[in-house]
C-alpha cells in the first residue's frame, strides 16, 4: 500500500525494471562490450542484482522502517494479550527415547546390535 502512495518509489522501481531489460537485451548473445571490456551475461546479472538490492533498500527504506516498527508493536501487543494457558497441557507431548549424540556415527539407532548382525 505504501508503495502505491509513493510516486518516487514507483518511478524508481520502473527505472530499475528498464535497467534490467536493457542489461538482458544487451547480453542476449551471451556477452557485451563496454569500452573494450567484455562482460558476460552472468557478470552483468550479478552486478545488476547488487545494484537492485542497493536501489531497493534506498527506495523502500521508509517502508522498511514503517513495517518494522508496526510489526514490532503488534508483536508486543500480541505477547501481552495472548492467553497461552490452553497450551500448557501435556496431552500431545512426544516421549523421546535414546541418547542425544551430535556425532552421527555414534547414534544409537545406527549402531543397533541387530542391524550389525544382519550385515
Amino acid at each position: 500500500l505504501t508503495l502505491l502512495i509513493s510516486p518516487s518509489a514507483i518511478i524508481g522501481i520502473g527505472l530499475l525494471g528498464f535497467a534490467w531489460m536493457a542489461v538482458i537485451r544487451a547480453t542476449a548473445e551471451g556477452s557485451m562490450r563496454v569500452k573494450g571490456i567484455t562482460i558476460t551475461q552472468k557478470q552483468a546479472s550479478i552486478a545488476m542484482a547488487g545494484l537492485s538490492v542497493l536501489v531497493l533498500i534506498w527506495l523502500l527504506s521508509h517502508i522498511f522502517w514503517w513495517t518494522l516498527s508496526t510489526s514490532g508493536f503488534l508483536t508486543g501487543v500480541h505477547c501481552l494479550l495472548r492467553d497461552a494457558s490452553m497450551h500448557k497441557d501435556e496431552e500431545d507431548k512426544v516421549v523421546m527415547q535414546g541418547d542425544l549424540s551430535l556425532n552421527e556415527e555414534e547414534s544409537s539407532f545406527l549402531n543397533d546390535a541387530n542391524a550389525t548382525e544382519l550385515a
Side-chain angles (χ1 to χ4, degrees):
L1 181 63
T2 309
L3 182 61
L4 298 176
I5 298 171
S6 173
S8 62
I10 294 171
I11 293 169
I13 290 175
L15 291 174
L16 190 61
F18 282 121
W20 269 102
M21 189 174 62
V23 167
I24 290 171
R25 284 188 180 183
T27 59
E29 296 176 4
S31 65
M32 66 180 180
R33 294 187 60 85
V34 177
K35 295 185 179 184
I37 299 172
T38 302
I39 299 173
T40 65
Q41 189 175 29
K42 182 178 180 180
Q43 293 169 337
S45 296
I46 290 171
M48 274 303 296
L51 180 69
S52 296
V53 167
L54 294 176
V55 167
L56 289 173
I57 288 173
W58 179 72
L59 281 174
L60 305 175
S61 63
H62 61 285
I63 295 171
F64 170 76
W65 290 113
W66 178 254
T67 305
L68 183 66
S69 61
T70 55
S71 64
F73 174 74
L74 293 174
T75 301
V77 169
H78 174 72
C79 288
L80 292 173
L81 300 178
R82 182 172 184 261
D83 179 20
S85 62
M86 62 187 269
H87 301 291
K88 291 187 179 179
D89 64 350
E90 301 209 6
E91 290 179 17
D92 58 350
K93 183 177 179 183
V94 178
V95 178
M96 303 298 284
Q97 296 178 353
D99 295 329
L100 173 65
S101 175
L102 299 177
N103 185 356
E104 292 179 9
E105 294 178 3
E106 294 178 6
S107 296
S108 61
F109 68 91
L110 291 175
N111 295 323
D112 190 14
N114 294 333
T116 55
E117 291 174 6
L118 296 173

